[in-house]
Amino acid sequence: MVNNQIEDVKSRLDIVEVVSGYIKLHKTGANYRANCPFHAEKTPSFFISPTRQMWHCFGCGKGGSAFDFIMQIEGVEFGDALRTLAQRVGVELKAFKPEMKEFNTERTKLCEIEDLATQFFEKQLGSSKAGKEAKDYLLGRGISEESIKYWRLGYSPDTWQGLLDFLIGRGYKKAEVEKAGLAIKKPDGGHYDRFRGRIIFPVFDINSQVIGFGGRVFSQKDAKEIAKYINTPATVLYDKSKTLYGLDRRADSVS
């Protein structure tokens, strides 16, 4: 079953498309070349073969498949590379089946938490009373309904453990929610939600995986007492210095 899913992902991949999302490629005959992203060089020695669906650098000697490229450039394990590429080609991995256990890395679990948190925030924006007020505020500022859905904007309820209780109810531990940057640990050992009473802007990586959030305070009263904007702290997934908001949507035209 596991091998079948891996082969399914592999059969749908275009290595040129995968690599070009990270570095600029130049066509040379039937192949592509570029400056290697894994070592400094002036003359391109990094080559891609679309026919073989492989890449190789004649300078540093590294090479392999699309999986190997993602593992190298993202600094992740195979399970994480598999999840990233499966999401790219629209293959749903049965992550909770016993045969997939070896691929359930810490990074994968944090991605699951970020995805669920995004769904939670989206639902709050559309269904809760305060969320609807926040949505009306966005619409009043000229942000269209289409853009709200496109950018997956949300709202965090002004409660201490709204998101935390939601995630715990789905089997995640408080410490895991903290590692995802969504909860803060109190001196007494308890936890509370990092984002409370804020309009939420999900932050995506280049593969459209949610890796963090930005939160803007909604209540004008609160804006005078607390920070207007807060962001997810540095986590396994999120590094602010290496993340550019909207980069994953660079080829789209929706604004």
Side-chain angles (χ1 to χ4, degrees):
M1 181 65 177
V2 176
N3 288 335
N4 288 344
Q5 290 195 75
I6 294 173
E7 289 303 318
D8 189 15
V9 173
K10 188 181 295 185
S11 68
R12 302 189 192 198
L13 288 173
D14 177 358
I15 194 167
V16 174
E17 181 182 340
V18 172
V19 177
S20 64
Y22 294 87
I23 60 176
K24 186 176 182 179
L25 303 178
H26 300 279
K27 200 169 191 312
T28 172
N31 301 318
Y32 290 80
R33 68 177 182 177
N35 287 337
C36 181
F38 306 120
H39 78 284
E41 63 177 10
K42 294 182 178 180
T43 303
S45 59
F46 182 97
F47 284 82
I48 297 176
S49 169
T51 303
R52 298 176 58 210
Q53 287 293 298
M54 301 289 284
W55 62 276
H56 182 78
C57 177
F58 292 94
C60 65
K62 293 180 179 179
S65 66
F67 291 100
D68 297 298
F69 181 80
I70 293 295
M71 290 168 67
Q72 287 284 340
I73 203 159
E74 294 281 2
V76 298
E77 299 176 31
F78 179 80
D80 299 317
L82 174 61
R83 187 182 190 282
T84 294
L85 293 173
Q87 183 178 30
R88 176 185 285 264
V89 297
V91 173
E92 182 180 356
L93 300 177
K94 307 301 181 183
F96 295 103
K97 289 196 172 184
E99 61 266 29
M100 292 298 291
K101 185 177 180 180
E102 63 182 293
F103 298 133
N104 283 334
T105 64
E106 178 185 36
R107 185 182 178 92
T108 297
K109 183 164 287 190
L110 295 184
C111 285
E112 293 168 357
I113 291 174
E114 301 286 10
D115 287 338
L116 283 172
T118 303
Q119 294 173 36
F120 174 83
F121 292 140
E122 286 180 301
K123 186 174 182 179
Q124 291 296 317
L125 185 67
S127 61
S128 69
K129 180 180 178 181
K132 288 179 179 178
E133 291 176 357
K135 185 175 182 179
D136 287 341
Y137 169 80
L138 291 171
L139 294 171
R141 293 294 298 269
I143 300 176
S144 68
E145 186 88 39
E146 181 183 21
S147 291
I148 290 173
K149 292 179 180 179
Y150 180 75
W151 294 100
R152 302 191 66 184
L153 305 189
Y155 176 74
S156 58
D158 195 10
T159 58
W160 289 103
Q161 292 188 202
L163 175 62
L164 195 58
D165 289 343
F166 171 78
L167 292 170
I168 290 173
R170 279 150 183 75
Y172 296 98
K173 300 176 181 177
K174 293 181 180 179
E176 293 171 337
V177 181
E178 180 187 357
K179 284 185 177 181
L182 291 165
I184 297 175
K185 189 173 183 179
K186 298 186 290 187
D188 64 4
H191 290 76
Y192 61 92
D193 289 351
R194 178 178 298 278
F195 298 98
R196 304 182 310 281
R198 293 176 180 271
I199 295 173
I200 299 297
F201 300 83
V203 179
F204 303 86
D205 66 12
I206 197 171
N207 297 299
S208 297
Q209 165 64 51
V210 180
I211 56 175
F213 300 92
R216 183 194 187 282
V217 67
F218 172 55
S219 168
Q220 294 301 312
K221 175 180 176 295
D222 290 341
K224 299 176 182 179
E225 302 173 359
I226 60 177
K228 189 172 184 179
Y229 297 97
I230 61 173
N231 298 297
T232 297
T235 67
V236 170
L237 300 177
Y238 180 72
D239 183 339
K240 185 176 181 180
S241 66
K242 297 180 180 178
T243 304
L244 180 63
Y245 184 75
L247 182 62
D248 65 309
R249 310 297 178 94
R250 65 198 182 284
D252 295 338
S253 58
V254 177
S255 59

